[in-house]
Amino acid sequence: MFNDDWGTQRGPQFSPDTAREMLVPYIRRIVDSCHQRGMYFELHCCGKNDILAPAIAEASVDICLPQENINDFDLLYKLIGDKVLLGIYTETNPEMSDEQCLDVARQFMEKYGQGGHVFLSGGFNAHPRLNEFAYYLSREAYAG
C-alpha cells in the first residue's frame, strides 16, 4: 500500500500533465518492482482526483482506494474501473442488523459487481460481517 495525497476537497493539487511528467513514470517503476516480486500495488490517494484517474491507470496501479465521502465513485468506475481495481465505500455500521448489511452488500453487487473490477470497502466503522456478505454474494454472482 502506497499513500499519496494527490488532491484537495475540491480537486487535484496539480494538473494531469504534471502528474504524467512528475509522478506516473516513477510510480510505474515502483509498481513494476512490486510486480517482479509477486505483489500487487495499491494506491490510497486522498482528495478529489477524478481528473487524475487516467494518470493513475497509466501508472499501472493495480488497486486504488480513493478517499470516501469526497469522490464520485460512479465516475471513477466509469473512467478507470476496467483498468484499476477500485475500492468503493459503502455505508454500513456496527449497529445495523445483519439483514440490513446484507441488503447494502446486495445493492453494491447489483450496481458494481457485473464487471468484477471493484471491491466493497466499509471504511473504519463498517458492520463486522460486511466482508463475509460481500464474499458470499461475489461467489454467488461469479460461480453460480
Side-chain angles (χ1 to χ4, degrees), residues 2-83:
F2 190 88
N3 294 286
D4 200 11
D5 298 344
W6 291 14
T8 68
Q9 289 182 338
R10 294 192 177 121
Q13 296 189 54
F14 37 79
S15 72
D17 289 339
T18 298
R20 286 183 175 99
E21 177 186 341
M22 299 187 75
L23 294 171
V24 169
Y26 306 103
I27 297 288
R28 189 177 302 133
R29 284 179 57 190
I30 297 168
V31 171
D32 290 345
S33 179
C34 288
H35 290 170
Q36 290 170 0
R37 290 161 176 77
M39 296 184 287
Y40 294 107
F41 182 91
E42 179 178 337
L43 174 66
H44 173 77
C45 196
C46 283
K48 185 165 173 31
N49 290 308
D50 52 342
I51 293 170
L52 298 176
I56 290 170
E58 290 165 23
S60 300
V61 167
D62 297 304
I63 304 164
C64 183
L65 189 59
Q67 182 179 351
E68 64 180 303
N69 300 327
I70 197 170
N71 283 288
D72 179 344
F73 288 98
D74 292 340
L75 177 59
L76 290 174
Y77 184 68
K78 184 177 169 183
L79 290 170
I80 62 171
D82 61 333
K83 298 171 192 70

Side-chain angles (χ1 to χ4, degrees), residues 57-118:
E58 290 165 23
S60 300
V61 167
D62 297 304
I63 304 164
C64 183
L65 189 59
Q67 182 179 351
E68 64 180 303
N69 300 327
I70 197 170
N71 283 288
D72 179 344
F73 288 98
D74 292 340
L75 177 59
L76 290 174
Y77 184 68
K78 184 177 169 183
L79 290 170
I80 62 171
D82 61 333
K83 298 171 192 70
V84 177
L85 178 65
L86 290 169
I88 299 181
Y89 290 92
T90 59
E91 294 294 325
T92 66
N93 64 66
E95 289 78 36
M96 289 178 130
S97 69
D98 284 356
E99 292 76 23
Q100 289 171 312
C101 184
L102 181 58
D103 189 51
V104 168
R106 195 172 274 120
Q107 289 173 25
F108 174 88
M109 285 300 296
E110 288 171 6
K111 187 170 188 176
Y112 298 109
Q114 303 311 309
H117 219 69
V118 297

